[in-house]
Amino acid sequence: MTRLVLAAGTTETAAIEGLSAAGTDGDLLVHTPSADAEILEYGKPVRAPVTPVSPAGCPTPAVVTRAVRERLDLPLTVVDAGLAKPTAAGTVTVGATPGRDIREEEPVPTAYGVWEAARQFGRALDEDLLLAETVPGGTTTALGVLTALGETDATGVSSSLAANPLDLKREVVAAGLDASDLDAGSCAGQPRRAVRRMGDPTAAVLGGLTVGALETDTPVTLAGGTQLLAVAALARHADADGRLSLATTSFIDADPNVDLSAAADAFELDVTVTDPGFDESHVAFERYLAGEAKEGVGMGGALAVADAAGVPMADVRDGVISTYERLLG
């Protein structure tokens, strides 16, 4: 049995204009992770006042993961990884608080305690784990973590936007390094410090979960793109060995700003890429084909699980359409 574990959290880094496509309104952006968790659990937002869509109308990848969950027995656990707004989804608490802007000295002051609590939780789980995230601004904080670890050459960084604002992300990360009195690579071998000084709380949760699970030989698949590559880097910098997999989408694989092959070599990852076969037949697919979203909320992992279980991608696409129409009409 495979269990999907979603770390749902926030970072004030997402409020920097131009960084994230995870919402149509900056004031509603903080509700996105709470809404994503509810969509996975209930098929629609229940308490959150928003259905996450990009400014151009791209639906949250939670729509895809939910479509898979409706076709497979894929148990879900949501970890509160620093939610800024309440969610109606049941959550596991590990002491995370909302992340601050990474241009502050310590954007994740609770990183050490959260990592340890998540590690203990990971040690206690005995199912195959599919680890995922929802955190607006997360590719920028992932770049911060990778830079602090000295691993940017091995990965690159994606974006939820069609036009990746790489220059802005690098400016933000450079400001964060200055505020934390760090250089690139200063946190090599110190993963918790990298998260505390340059990351977001979902990284602390997923880093701890991954290390704890690997300590007990529990199979771990990281379901996502840039943020989950940063988690792989954190685990390896924590000296966690054992087999570690990454399941992502064809949209990440096609992103020229991400080098999956180099990351696989650097972090000893088995990589699975799944193409959902989106086309121009429905509005739910169009913005993905234009380069938006690409990943998130366990999309790549859910697609890989569906493919391995023999669920036709046509059935998944039908489910995406029905979920989209239920949510957005």
Side-chain angles (χ1 to χ4, degrees):
M1 178 69 72
T2 297
R3 175 170 294 275
L4 173 62
V5 182
L6 178 71
T10 56
T11 167
E12 290 178 3
T13 309
I16 300 171
E17 186 174 356
L19 280 186
S20 179
T24 57
D25 185 316
D27 293 336
L28 297 177
L29 199 66
V30 292
H31 293 281
T32 293
S34 302
D36 280 340
E38 291 174 2
I39 291 168
L40 291 196
E41 183 65 40
Y42 305 111
K44 62 182 180 180
V46 175
R47 189 174 183 184
V50 61
T51 295
V53 295
S54 77
C58 185
T60 168
V63 170
V64 180
T65 305
R66 173 66 193 189
V68 172
R69 288 199 74 223
E70 290 179 354
R71 283 152 181 78
L72 290 175
D73 182 14
L74 184 61
L76 171 69
T77 296
V78 180
V79 180
D80 183 342
L83 289 169
K85 298 295 181 180
T87 182
T91 60
V92 173
T93 301
V94 291
T97 56
R100 301 171 184 167
D101 191 317
I102 63 167
R103 295 173 298 183
E104 298 183 21
E105 182 180 1
E106 288 192 340
V108 193
T110 59
Y112 284 55
V114 168
W115 180 292
E116 181 56 26
R119 186 181 75 86
Q120 293 297 335
F121 184 45
R123 287 180 60 86
L125 297 173
D126 57 6
E127 299 164 290
D128 291 9
L129 297 182
L130 195 64
L131 302 184
E133 54 69 37
T134 170
V135 54
T139 58
T140 301
T141 50
L143 179 61
V145 166
L146 289 164
T147 303
L149 294 174
E151 295 287 5
T152 52
D153 289 344
T155 59
V157 63
S158 190
S159 174
S160 58
L161 295 163
N164 191 341
L166 274 173
D167 288 343
L168 176 58
K169 290 180 180 182
R170 289 167 179 154
E171 289 174 12
V172 170
V173 168
L177 292 173
D178 288 343
S180 296
D181 195 24
L182 296 175
D183 296 317
S186 289
C187 296
Q190 303 174 75
R192 296 179 300 172
R193 182 174 178 234
V195 174
R196 181 171 181 167
R197 296 297 189 89
M198 291 299 297
D200 68 60
T202 68
V205 169
L206 292 172
L209 277 170
T210 301
V211 170
L214 291 179
E215 287 174 347
T216 53
D217 296 323
T218 298
V220 176
T221 298
L222 304 174
T226 298
Q227 290 103 305
L228 277 299
L229 289 177
V231 171
L234 288 167
R236 297 313 192 195
H237 278 255
D239 294 327
D241 55 15
R243 186 172 179 177
L244 190 58
S245 300
L246 178 86
T248 193
T249 66
S250 54
F251 305 115
I252 291 292
D253 189 41
D255 188 339
N257 296 302
V258 178
D259 191 338
L260 286 178
S261 178
D265 290 342
F267 309 134
E268 299 177 61
L269 293 171
D270 298 322
V271 177
T272 299
V273 175
T274 307
D275 183 353
F278 288 173
D279 56 31
E280 299 287 351
S281 63
H282 194 275
V283 66
F285 307 146
E286 291 174 355
R287 297 313 301 169
Y288 283 91
L289 296 174
E292 286 194 41
K294 302 181 186 72
E295 250 295 2
V297 206
M299 177 179 170
L303 290 171
V305 169
D307 189 50
V311 177
M313 283 298 126
D315 287 359
V316 174
R317 292 192 296 274
D318 288 344
V320 172
I321 291 171
S322 63
T323 303
Y324 175 90
E325 292 181 345
R326 182 171 68 240
L327 294 175
L328 297 168

